[in-house]
Structure formats: structure tokens, C-alpha cells
Amino acid sequence: MTEPAPVEVVNPGGASPFVLLCEHASNHVPARYGALGLPEAELGRHIAWDIGAAALARRLSALLDAPLLLSAVSRLVIDLNRPPGVPTSIPERSEDTPIPGNLGLAPEERAAREAAWFHPFHDAVTALLDRRAAAGAPAIVVGVHSFTPRFQGVDRPWHAGVLFAAAEGFGRALAAAIGSDPALVVGENEPYRIEPGLHDYTVPVHGDSRGIDAALIEVRQDLLGDPAGIEDWALRLASALGGAAGRRV
């Protein structure tokens, strides 16, 4: 069986200033890893990918005319939004689930996964942003994610969240734009927060270190469970992103 390329690039020449990333787009585990010792049902859970995020990101790309880069491997093989070498990069446990195929990995295996999946994805992001910088074209990095309605027995009240670090102005404007609907609860740095060097890679490396705006959007998974939900949130986020960046979408 032929393995997919480590990164899928959609609409690389899109005219939008937004560069969309979906680091947890896939729950694919290459055959050589033997499903990491997990039953198939576990690979359908959030521990393996961000459910609904890829479909949402593709629709956003079309609405915004934005380039989009999607991962092609499960976050359980290697997490593309974690710095290499940290415990959550290749997790031995995710939430309360042990990952047998990740236990006691040799440094050579960790390096091989980084070379096969992590570096090609982020090299592609870097190359795209470098081309934009060389052309004097604006770039705003936006990661598209989803989160579970309930975590470790606690219900999460947010419909969506915006995670940001240095780009505080953009992040707060984006959260406010999404939350302009009074029916929605939108968190700033909820249900997670950016932790450079520990739990985050995209925003610190591709955004903050370049001095360009960058944020992650998190949408609750139960809101992305069907095509109507995907369309609703894609339209809402396209409008909010345009407003936050001071542009009309």
C-alpha cells in the first residue's frame, strides 16, 4: 500500500493573506506501525486526530481563497503541533489511553518519524511563508483545530476558542468577531493555551518568531458533526477572520 505524502497542500497560490494549517487533519497510521497496538475504535477518537477539522479547513480555504496545508498522519504517530522531543510529541499515553506502539522508542525511531512526517510538513509551511515574504505579500497563520465537548469528566462550555501568544491584538479581535453572536461562548486561550517549547509549535515558530499574526482556532467537535455544521462554522469563521484582519471576506 502506497503511503500518502506527508503534507497535502491545497490552493498554494491563494490570494488571501491567511495561511491555513490543519496539523491534526488525519487519523492515518502507516501500516508499518501496526495501528500502534490500538483497536480500530481508538483511532476514531480525538486522541488520534481533530474530528471535523480537516473538512472545516478545506471549506475555509475555498471561502477565503487561502492556501491550506494538511497533515497526513495521526497525531499519535507524531504530533505536528508539538516541538520534537517533548513527551507529547510521540505520546506514550493520550488522555487516559496508553499507546503501546509508542512505548520505549529508541532515539533512532523518534528521529525517523520526525524525518518522515514532522519536518516535511513544517518545511512546506516555511517555504510557503518564505515565498510570501520574498514577494512582499502579507501572511497571517491560522491553525484549524477541534476539541471534545467533555474532557476528563468535565463539560466544556465554549463553542469555540482562539489561542494566541504574541499576536494578542489579532487573537482578541478574532475571538470578539466570532463571539459577536450572543448565542456563542467563545474563549480566549481556552480550552487550551499556547505554551512555547512544551505543547505548541505552529504559533511560536511560524507566527511569533517571524513577527506575523498567528492564532489557532478551536471549534467544539459536536458542532462539526455533519455537513450543515461544517458549512455554518466555515461561513462564520470566514467572516470573523476577515473582520479581525481588517479586511472584508
Side-chain angles (χ1 to χ4, degrees):
M1 177 180 174
T2 302
E3 289 294 336
V7 55
E8 178 185 355
V9 183
V10 176
N11 192 22
S16 171
F18 296 106
V19 175
L20 304 178
L21 309 183
C22 194
E23 308 97 314
H24 301 152
S26 176
N27 64 348
H28 173 66
V29 176
R32 65 182 177 274
Y33 298 126
L36 298 172
L38 295 169
E40 184 177 351
E42 294 290 346
L43 297 180
R45 294 177 51 215
H46 177 72
I47 63 170
W49 62 333
D50 278 7
I51 298 167
L56 177 61
R58 290 181 190 279
R59 186 66 182 120
L60 263 180
S61 172
L63 289 169
L64 294 167
D65 187 23
L68 164 65
L69 296 92
L70 302 106
S71 69
V73 71
S74 171
R75 67 200 300 175
L76 295 178
V77 174
I78 187 165
D79 193 318
L80 301 187
N81 192 36
R82 300 290 184 270
V86 304
T88 53
S89 169
I90 303 176
E92 295 188 350
R93 174 178 290 270
S94 184
E95 297 180 13
D96 293 326
T97 302
I99 314 301
N102 289 346
L103 298 177
L105 293 183
E108 294 79 9
E109 171 58 23
R110 293 180 176 275
R113 294 193 194 184
E114 292 170 16
W117 303 102
F118 184 91
H119 294 304
F121 181 88
H122 288 290
D123 287 350
V125 177
T126 297
L128 191 153
L129 292 174
D130 284 350
R131 289 195 299 272
R132 289 204 160 204
I140 301 170
V141 175
V142 177
V144 181
H145 294 250
S146 69
F147 66 95
T148 56
R150 188 174 176 85
F151 181 69
Q152 294 185 341
V154 179
D155 289 333
R156 288 165 154 172
W158 309 282
H159 297 90
V162 178
L163 316 185
F164 54 88
E168 185 173 348
F170 172 68
R172 293 190 186 282
L174 179 56
I178 300 170
S180 62
D181 182 341
L184 298 179
V185 178
V186 179
E188 293 183 2
N189 285 319
E190 297 288 359
Y192 312 106
R193 63 186 61 251
I194 301 297
E195 297 180 274
L198 182 61
H199 288 302
D200 291 278
Y201 191 88
T202 290
V203 165
V205 171
H206 295 304
D208 294 353
S209 71
R210 287 178 175 262
I212 61 176
D213 286 341
L216 305 184
I217 296 174
E218 296 272 357
V219 179
R220 210 174 63 202
Q221 287 170 6
D222 59 313
L223 304 174
L224 303 175
D226 56 34
I230 296 290
E231 183 69 8
D232 178 57
W233 273 92
L235 291 169
R236 176 181 286 113
L237 293 179
S239 177
L241 283 163
R247 297 175 174 85
R248 296 191 179 195
V249 177

